Amino acid sequence: MDSALIFFSLFFIVPGGWSLRDVTLRILPPAVQRGGEATFLCHYDLEGAHLYAVKWYRGQREFYRYSPNENPPIKIFAFAGINVDLSMSNASQVVLRQVGFNLSGNISCEVTTESPHFSTAVVSKQLSVIELPKSGPVVQTDKERHELGDTLRANCSTAPSRPPAQILFHVNDIPVKGGDITTRETGSGLTTTHRRLELKLEAGQFRGVPIIVKCTALVAGFNQSAQLSVGPRTTEPVPERVTSPSGSSRLEPCFVLLLLLYLTR
């Protein structure tokens, strides 16, 4: 919950005093990769009061409790997919290993004091468990060469991820909106995203410059890009140049010999 709930708890449970304040919750990192490590930090100011318990919840289910007056002070409650690192967890933080998708959701820290008065405050934040694409996006066009007035058609596809990737198109660094977007579930909790682009190549923007099509995939604040260059269509012949591997011209020895014989006649 939020600061309004904290105020409610303090005002109505603690007559005549403020024995618990500044309760905050941080989740590090903000977006946790599946199989990785998550740290939950619950900060609070007891203002001289005695701590009764700190309880942690995923949704409505408690999974961790710290009670300094009990032995042992730490209790773990069974929750599928929660692996608490006891060596790193205490009265103000909980560290989880091998985080799975099922933990995405509301995480709450509930702090209670017992002396001189009972006081309780709860703070909550959303935990996001993500999976980044294993590779960058792939961008393709229907033609290798275009001319002004053509319609540029491009497709961009992403590798599976969670949440689904957001695809952005830029043509010569100009953002391009629109285009059909489709997604497909992979069966492992991941999703691939596909976006199609159609753009009329107007003379005012693209005359005399190469066309660079860039596709960017965004997933939970992370991004990967791919781009390709589409050349202009031309009907003019391109002369061939015969050069040596070093790039300099070379005269054949027999031609040089004939030239010397002619000059000495």
Side-chain angles (χ1 to χ4, degrees):
M1 287 123 263
D2 54 20
S3 57
L5 176 58
I6 299 175
F7 176 83
F8 179 89
S9 300
L10 295 175
F11 186 82
F12 287 97
I13 300 177
V14 190
W18 295 85
S19 61
L20 179 61
R21 59 181 299 176
D22 298 333
V23 183
T24 60
L25 172 60
R26 296 177 64 199
I27 295 178
L28 300 175
V32 184
Q33 295 198 48
R34 178 173 64 164
E37 174 184 307
T39 300
F40 306 148
L41 301 170
C42 189
H43 296 287
Y44 45 86
D45 184 357
L46 299 178
E47 288 198 324
H50 295 287
L51 178 66
Y52 175 74
V54 179
K55 301 178 182 180
W56 289 87
Y57 298 84
R58 160 55 176 85
Q60 300 298 317
R61 293 187 57 180
E62 183 180 0
F63 66 88
Y64 178 91
R65 181 185 299 178
Y66 182 88
S67 304
N69 297 328
E70 297 183 7
N71 188 22
I74 292 177
K75 289 184 180 179
I76 305 296
F77 301 90
F79 192 109
I82 286 188
N83 303 297
V84 178
D85 185 340
L86 291 176
S87 67
M88 298 294 292
S89 302
N90 50 46
S92 59
Q93 75 172 31
V94 177
V95 176
L96 302 183
R97 307 285 188 188
Q98 297 296 313
V99 174
F101 287 146
N102 66 308
L103 295 186
S104 290
N106 202 54
I107 301 295
S108 301
C109 170
E110 178 186 285
V111 183
T112 302
T113 60
E114 62 175 343
S115 176
H117 305 286
F118 272 96
S119 175
T120 299
V122 182
V123 287
S124 300
K125 276 195 172 182
Q126 286 292 119
L127 170 65
S128 297
V129 182
I130 67 171
E131 176 123 343
L132 299 178
K134 300 299 184 185
S135 58
V138 176
V139 59
Q140 298 174 316
T141 57
D142 62 336
K143 300 176 184 177
E144 293 185 358
R145 296 183 179 277
H146 286 76
E147 63 184 15
L148 295 179
D150 283 353
T151 296
L152 171 67
R153 294 180 175 87
N155 295 287
C156 182
S157 299
T158 69
S161 67
R162 180 167 174 165
Q166 177 187 5
I167 296 178
L168 305 178
F169 269 117
H170 288 78
V171 177
N172 287 5
D173 293 327
I174 301 172
V176 181
K177 297 182 179 180
D180 296 331
I181 300 175
T182 58
T183 59
R184 183 176 64 86
E185 299 287 340
T186 64
S188 58
L190 306 180
T191 302
T192 60
T193 305
H194 178 86
R195 182 176 174 186
R196 187 168 182 267
L197 168 71
E198 290 191 2
L199 178 66
K200 186 73 173 291
L201 300 177
E202 303 290 348
Q205 291 179 312
F206 302 108
R207 180 182 296 277
V209 297
I211 301 170
I212 307 297
V213 181
K214 181 180 179 181
C215 163
T216 302
L218 303 175
V219 179
F222 299 88
N223 70 81
Q224 295 175 297
S225 297
Q227 67 181 37
L228 55 80
S229 177
V230 181
R233 184 184 302 161
T234 178
T235 57
E236 297 181 0
V238 179
E240 294 185 353
R241 296 177 60 194
V242 179
T243 60
S244 66
S246 64
S248 59
S249 300
R250 183 170 61 91
L251 296 177
E252 296 295 335
C254 60
F255 179 79
V256 175
L257 179 61
L258 289 175
L259 179 62
L260 289 174
L261 290 174
Y262 176 79
L263 293 175
T264 55
R265 289 179 56 187

